[in-house]
Amino acid sequence: MPSNVEIKARVTNMAELTKRAKELSGTEGELLQQEDTFFFCQNGRLKLRIVQGGQSELIFYNRPDQAGPKLSEFHKTSITDSENLKKALSLALGVRGEVRKTRYLYMVGQTRVHVDQVDNLGNFMELEVNLENGQSPEEGQAIANDLMQKLGVKEQDLLTCAYMDLLLKEKSG
């Protein structure tokens, strides 16, 4: 399975983070409106990502809940009929919840830098260092740590869990 090293953090200064991401990528970033529907799943996580005006994907992934860089293994499948698939999976597995976000994507080398505004949660940053064949998770962690510093992300802002988990905590707490 493909894998990446991931970091997620809360953002206190969105303008500064966006400025640094633009400088590092040399681009204005790509705007993505995303709706992720999470389904109950025995192993790992399963979500249907619907991208407004873009390609929808069914994504399975497995990742530990820990602060800082973490290895994530995933499998993606392109979807052409997302609404019918969403209905079938909802009926078969049940819906755990939904996450809606406005995301700016910046590519910095082999890393996807996401600057996210998540509905009902706030502002976040996510790094996904896509590991190349033969590249170790430690090499990916070094890249992620370096980018974290360049973007001004502080250790105390790191998150251990997914947006879905944060939304469920908000709802129950």
Side-chain angles (χ1 to χ4, degrees):
M1 257 196 293
S3 59
N4 62 31
V5 172
E6 202 172 291
I7 288 180
K8 192 177 306 233
R10 208 170 272 286
V11 173
T12 53
N13 187 337
M14 196 71 145
E16 181 62 25
L17 176 71
T18 300
K19 177 180 172 253
R20 290 181 183 200
K22 286 179 180 182
E23 288 170 358
L24 289 168
S25 70
T27 70
E28 290 297 308
E30 179 183 357
L31 173 64
L32 303 167
Q33 297 287 342
Q34 297 178 336
E35 176 187 303
D36 292 343
T37 302
F38 285 79
F39 301 96
F40 289 104
C41 179
Q42 284 185 344
N43 303 307
R45 297 171 188 255
L46 182 66
K47 69 182 171 185
L48 176 61
R49 171 166 289 159
I50 298 174
V51 181
Q52 192 176 52
Q55 179 65 56
S56 296
E57 298 176 305
L58 184 65
I59 304 167
F60 167 80
Y61 67 99
N62 209 345
R63 174 186 72 218
D65 287 337
Q66 64 187 41
K70 48 194 153 276
L71 184 64
S72 176
E73 295 181 317
F74 60 92
H75 180 80
K76 295 181 180 184
T77 303
S78 296
I79 304 299
T80 55
D81 189 355
S82 56
E83 288 307 316
N84 273 323
L85 180 60
K86 182 177 178 178
K87 182 168 180 124
L89 289 171
S90 298
L91 291 169
L93 302 174
V95 173
R96 188 164 181 245
E98 293 186 336
V99 176
R100 289 180 181 80
K101 63 185 168 288
T102 300
R103 167 172 281 177
Y104 281 90
L105 166 64
Y106 304 91
M107 288 302 301
V108 179
Q110 69 193 74
T111 305
R112 296 170 59 91
V113 177
H114 301 147
V115 178
D116 294 339
Q117 294 173 302
V118 182
D119 290 3
N120 303 312
L121 274 184
N123 299 326
F124 299 87
M125 179 279 326
E126 193 175 79
L127 301 177
E128 292 179 354
V129 181
N130 295 309
L131 296 178
E132 298 168 355
N133 284 340
Q135 195 170 29
S136 72
E138 292 76 23
E139 290 174 277
Q141 287 177 353
I143 293 167
N145 286 330
D146 180 58
L147 266 176
M148 200 171 94
Q149 287 185 323
K150 289 177 179 173
L151 290 166
V153 176
K154 296 174 180 60
E155 189 116 359
Q156 66 263 25
D157 294 329
L158 295 178
L159 298 174
T160 59
C161 60
Y163 298 144
M164 184 74 259
D165 299 325
L166 292 174
L167 284 168
L168 290 173
K169 282 180 193 172
E170 292 275 327
K171 204 183 269 191
S172 68

